Amino acid sequence: MADSIGEAEAANRLMRLARLIAHHDKLYHDQDAPEISDADYDALVRENRELEERFPQLVRPDSPSKRLGAAPTTALAKVAHARPMLSLENAFSEDEVNDFAARIRRFLNLPAEAFVAMTAEPKIDGLSCSVRYERGDLVLAATRGDGAVGEDVTPNVRTIADIPQHIANAPDVLEVRGEVYMSKADFEALNARQEASGGKIFANPRNAAAGSLRQKDASITAARPLRFLAHGWGEVSEPLADTQFEAMKRIESFGIPVSDLLVRCDDTAAMLAHYRAIEKARADLPFDIDGVVYKVDRLDLQERLGFVARAPRWGLAHKFPAEKAETTLEAIDIQVGRTGKLTPVGRLTPVGVGGVIVANVTLHNRDEIQRLGLRIGDRVRIQRAGDVIPQVVENLTRDEVREPYVFPDHCPECQSEAVAEEGEVDVRCTGGLICPAQRFERLRHFVSRGALDIEGLGEKSIAEFIELGWLHSPADIFRLRNHRGALIGLEGWKEKSVDNLLGSIEAKREPDGPRFLFGLGIRQIGIVTARDLLKCFGTVEELRRVAAHPDAQAEFAAVEGVGPVVAEALVDFFHEEHNREALDDLLSEVSPKPFVSDARQTEWTGKTIVFTGSLETMSRDEAKAQAERLGARAAGSVSAKTDLVVAGPGAGSKLKKAEELGIRVINEAEWAQIVADA
Ligand code: IVH
């Protein structure tokens, strides 16, 4: 590609590559959710490098070649590495390995027949971590980050059993570097648990390891089965040994795991033989690897060889080729994710790829199917890159005449309409409230802090109640009281905890309007937009009525703070009969408060009011909201700072205290008068 294009086209392509690579870096490093295989990513980086070599004048300030991975995210504290954490040059063929050996000989000015001994060991597909010991105590652990500055993951690393907290007879300063990883078996088990609890599903063990290590809350890391294998060191106060091999043995003697596939090779043939042996063992290894790493064994020679850019001259990563195979696409199934995204999955005639039988591939999205021109019955070339889900890389029968594949426009789970929003590739189900695939996520959102804020109804309980068949839609939450008896009998529930939960549900029968609207989980509608909408339309029922007008979209879009995208999302939501039914059902259980605009200045501004006893014409919550609208604060207990007590029948100790303190006490009717007059 780089050979055939002109300067203008190259500039354009470089701009797109910069964006694309930054996008994939972010997905990989920050979100632990890659969309493309490592091989495809490497191809983009290579294309970028080739273009920059041909057109050095076009190298951009934001060129991916100037960055190494993604800079660390802001969530964790940053730490500068005492010595930079470098990367490795990649090789994909035996020729490149021979070149590497020859380059080293030349650099060291050695005769052609001389051979520099090298170590060879698996390249573990995890994430680099540097663990620092001072006088034997673990004091700091950091991720690689951009190589110069990483993230402080000390508390997290302390939870990894492979990594000792203290090392006897270690040098005063010792930085051990290696890979934090998750075994394939632990990864499967973690994903199964995540699925059961509605948690995040990880694409591969590497992402699971990254997501588990880079947690602000180390107790999450502690619950994840992370492991560690050392492959080198950073700052050390005294040399560990004379050779790489002996130094690694020394690290092993400190009680830190080192690969048992680490060997010393006396010639290139031995290196390549070890590469093939590891490749053969790959499928049976308990963890993912993506190649073999060679390093010059003598440390004095490593020193002389030094570094080029970000990689040492003395090291090389010999990557395994992406494994490919040909087979037939038998069917395309659509899976609906927890957020409503429709993902096409290709069902294949099972085929062996690098020792693993592959029967399914991800087809990513509607555009990808179109790009490949895929139809049922096509012969396809698939690729398994070891670390990501297998994918189709080529359609081998594009030219044959066959029935085209039509991407569904309805959700296979709930039959609601499925649409792609303007400018988006993903097709999504619009049946949010009733789609079983989205049930858990929706319910969790509905009860969450920013929405109804139902205390005590956590993820675990939601998952449990769904499992029991008690929860289908948000309205069911308000019918959980019908299961009180059954619930008390369940493990982990006692009468008191059940009643606490049911009590906090009952307390939300008259939810705040904007929170209620936000809780419905309509796409594009956050709490601020929800408030803007209700400020204008007052109630969700009114919104729904307006949504039925032929010119609803324009009407919504005219609201301040609301644009066409939100307007369309609203209309789509109410257009769906399922959603209207689920909303009716919900409104038969709860009565959201109509929106009343913000507090005003009144004689009550800044005053403290306490409501006690039972109120007859309004709920306690409504009374409090009224007080807040007058600018007053509603407090739970009476003190010298209380300005007014509104007492209903049955008022007890608070009323007594108010009288003792000489605070003005009024009844509900008088309060209603104050509100009316204000
Ligand atoms: S040596 C200066 N050895 O691969 C050399 N790295 O592509 C530093 N990796 O950042 C690394 N297994 O995270 C080395 N046996 C191994 C490795 C290994 C995995 C990772 C490491 C490094 C990356 C470079």
Side-chain angles (χ1 to χ4, degrees):
M1 164 123 193
D3 288 343
S4 58
I5 78 177
E7 186 166 338
E9 200 181 330
N12 195 322
R13 181 69 188 151
L14 282 168
M15 176 193 72
R16 288 212 314 258
L17 283 168
R19 277 196 211 147
L20 208 57
I21 292 170
H23 167 74
H24 290 302
D25 277 346
K26 195 154 183 274
L27 289 174
Y28 189 87
H29 294 280
D30 289 356
Q31 293 166 19
D32 306 314
E35 276 173 356
I36 60 172
S37 71
D38 284 3
D40 288 346
Y41 175 84
D42 288 345
L44 293 176
V45 172
R46 212 172 315 132
E47 184 188 347
N48 187 75
R49 197 183 48 221
E50 283 167 14
L51 279 172
E52 289 184 342
E53 279 167 8
R54 250 197 86 199
F55 301 100
Q57 72 279 20
L58 297 182
V59 174
R60 303 168 54 85
D62 64 347
S63 163
S65 60
K66 296 189 179 168
R67 279 179 288 122
L68 173 64
T73 45
T74 47
L76 294 159
K78 292 178 182 176
V79 268
H81 297 299
R83 290 179 56 184
M85 290 183 77
L86 297 151
S87 170
L88 287 166
E89 177 91 14
N90 288 330
F92 295 90
S93 68
E94 299 200 346
D95 280 352
E96 288 174 276
V97 177
N98 284 316
D99 289 349
F100 167 66
R103 229 171 22 240
I104 286 171
R105 257 196 311 271
R106 264 201 314 279
F107 189 91
L108 296 172
N109 204 13
L110 295 172
E113 63 283 1
F115 183 78
V116 177
M118 305 243 191
T119 60
E121 73 201 288
K123 185 170 192 296
I124 299 112
D125 203 8
L127 74 156
S128 278
C129 189
S130 185
V131 186
R132 185 178 174 98
Y133 293 87
E134 286 177 8
R135 275 179 281 283
D137 287 322
L138 193 168
V139 292
L140 182 71
T143 62
R144 182 171 69 169
D146 65 4
V149 176
E151 294 164 321
D152 185 345
V153 286
T154 314
N156 315 67
V157 160
R158 286 191 198 280
T159 71
I160 302 177
D162 280 344
I163 299 179
Q165 302 285 326
H166 182 82
I167 300 177
N169 58 49
D172 268 2
V173 174
L174 167 68
E175 274 182 18
V176 176
R177 289 179 175 177
E179 297 289 294
V180 170
Y181 68 95
M182 194 178 284
S183 77
K184 297 179 200 171
D186 285 339
F187 160 73
E188 299 292 345
L190 171 65
N191 260 358
R193 283 202 307 275
Q194 293 287 100
E195 179 146 29
S197 68
K200 174 174 175 161
I201 304 292
F202 296 100
N204 54 52
R206 189 206 169 276
N207 294 301
S212 304
L213 182 66
R214 295 166 67 243
Q215 288 285 344
K216 275 187 118 172
D217 177 359
S219 68
I220 300 178
T221 312
R224 304 274 175 83
L226 292 178
R227 317 218 45 169
F228 184 78
L229 265 181
H231 51 58
W233 58 94
E235 187 181 4
V236 277
S237 53
E238 61 193 70
L240 294 174
D242 291 334
T243 63
Q244 177 79 26
F245 191 79
E246 294 304 327
M248 293 314 295
K249 291 289 158 200
R250 183 95 195 277
I251 289 174
E252 196 167 27
S253 81
F254 296 146
I256 301 176
V258 167
S259 173
D260 51 12
L261 291 167
L262 169 71
V263 298
R264 181 157 32 197
C265 303
D266 285 326
D267 52 32
T268 326
M271 287 159 62
L272 295 174
H274 197 53
Y275 172 88
R276 284 189 288 269
I278 291 179
E279 189 176 27
K280 211 158 160 200
R282 184 179 183 186
D284 299 323
L285 288 180
F287 46 81
D288 276 346
I289 61 172
D290 58 353
V292 172
V293 177
Y294 308 123
K295 294 169 195 166
V296 168
D297 192 37
R298 271 175 51 186
L299 299 181
D300 58 330
L301 297 184
Q302 285 194 6
E303 188 80 23
R304 277 174 61 195
L305 285 157
F307 302 88
V308 238
R310 295 176 309 231
R313 275 197 198 86
W314 45 261
L316 186 74
H318 188 181
K319 296 276 212 93
F320 296 129
E323 292 153 305
K324 293 190 181 160
E326 289 177 24
T327 184
T328 303
L329 178 64
E330 292 186 348
I332 296 177
D333 288 347
I334 301 289
Q335 285 178 351
V336 187
R338 290 175 304 128
T339 58
K341 178 177 158 189
L342 269 55
T343 303
V345 178
R347 307 294 180 198
L348 309 169
T349 309
V351 61
V353 197
V356 177
I357 302 294
V358 172
N360 306 308
V361 279
T362 172
L363 299 173
H364 298 293
N365 52 48
R366 187 175 62 182
D367 289 8
E368 177 73 359
I369 294 180
Q370 202 168 24
R371 186 178 72 79
L372 291 161
L374 289 177
R375 300 142 309 173
I376 313 297
D378 282 349
R379 283 295 286 175
V380 289
R381 177 166 293 131
I382 62 160
Q383 169 175 302
R384 194 181 137 258
D387 54 348
V388 289
I389 316 162
Q391 49 189 324
V392 174
V393 287
E394 196 182 345
N395 183 350
L396 303 166
T397 45
R398 244 190 137 125
D399 299 337
E400 281 174 31
V401 179
R402 235 192 290 280
E403 196 68 11
Y405 174 74
V406 182
F407 201 89
D409 54 8
H410 283 80
C411 171
E413 295 276 346
C414 70
Q415 282 68 50
S416 302
E417 247 182 275
V419 295
E421 269 165 35
E422 180 94 24
E424 285 216 11
V425 286
D426 293 329
V427 175
R428 284 174 193 280
C429 164
T430 57
L433 288 177
I434 60 107
C435 181
Q438 299 172 68
R439 191 169 290 157
F440 176 83
E441 235 1 80
R442 289 305 174 131
L443 291 169
R444 196 175 68 144
H445 171 75
F446 185 73
V447 305
S448 69
R449 268 259 181 90
L452 258 67
D453 192 19
I454 298 184
E455 222 171 290
L457 187 50
E459 292 186 10
K460 225 178 104 221
S461 312
I462 294 178
E464 188 178 3
F465 300 157
I466 289 177
E467 187 75 10
L468 287 162
W470 295 347
L471 279 188
H472 299 274
S473 75
D476 291 331
I477 292 171
F478 295 90
R479 294 191 277 256
L480 279 173
R481 59 183 181 189
N482 301 340
H483 301 288
R484 182 176 176 274
L487 185 51
I488 289 170
L490 289 180
E491 208 190 306
W493 290 98
K494 294 205 184 74
E495 190 162 342
K496 187 156 188 295
S497 55
V498 170
D499 286 336
N500 282 344
L501 172 65
L502 295 177
S504 53
I505 293 172
E506 289 312 310
K508 298 296 157 77
R509 289 250 176 211
E510 293 177 14
D512 172 64
R515 283 167 168 266
F516 177 81
L517 174 57
F518 168 61
L520 296 179
I522 303 173
R523 270 175 73 70
Q524 312 290 349
I525 300 197
I527 187 70
V528 176
T529 309
R531 190 165 295 128
D532 289 341
L533 282 164
L534 292 184
K535 207 183 274 178
C536 185
F537 296 98
T539 63
V540 174
E541 287 97 323
E542 179 63 12
L543 275 180
R544 172 184 165 162
R545 218 180 45 73
V546 174
H549 291 179
D551 50 0
Q553 208 151 313
E555 209 165 323
F556 288 139
V559 176
E560 196 173 319
V562 175
V565 179
V566 171
E568 184 180 347
L570 256 184
V571 172
D572 281 350
F573 178 86
F574 286 111
H575 172 75
E576 205 55 61
E577 191 184 335
H578 296 306
N579 288 339
R580 294 197 305 271
E581 281 170 9
L583 182 62
D584 280 342
D585 190 18
L586 185 54
L587 289 172
S588 74
E589 297 289 342
V590 303
S591 322
K593 286 178 234 149
F595 189 87
V596 186
S597 72
D598 308 323
R600 285 164 291 154
Q601 284 285 326
T602 68
E603 57 164 316
W604 295 99
T605 305
K607 298 280 166 61
T608 300
I609 302 178
V610 173
F611 294 92
T612 181
S614 57
L615 300 175
E616 277 156 5
T617 65
M618 65 190 102
S619 70
R620 186 74 63 86
D621 274 343
E622 187 180 353
K624 282 186 180 174
Q626 289 173 340
E628 276 160 13
R629 245 176 286 127
L630 298 181
R633 198 175 74 84
S637 61
V638 175
S639 74
K641 293 198 187 103
T642 308
D643 297 293
L644 178 73
V645 171
V646 181
S653 61
K654 289 182 198 171
L655 173 60
K656 205 162 149 242
K657 186 152 185 206
E659 282 163 353
E660 281 167 13
L661 291 169
I663 295 166
R664 182 178 167 203
V665 178
I666 59 171
N667 65 25
E668 192 179 341
E670 294 170 272
W671 169 249
Q673 196 56 51
I674 289 177
V675 173
D677 292 345

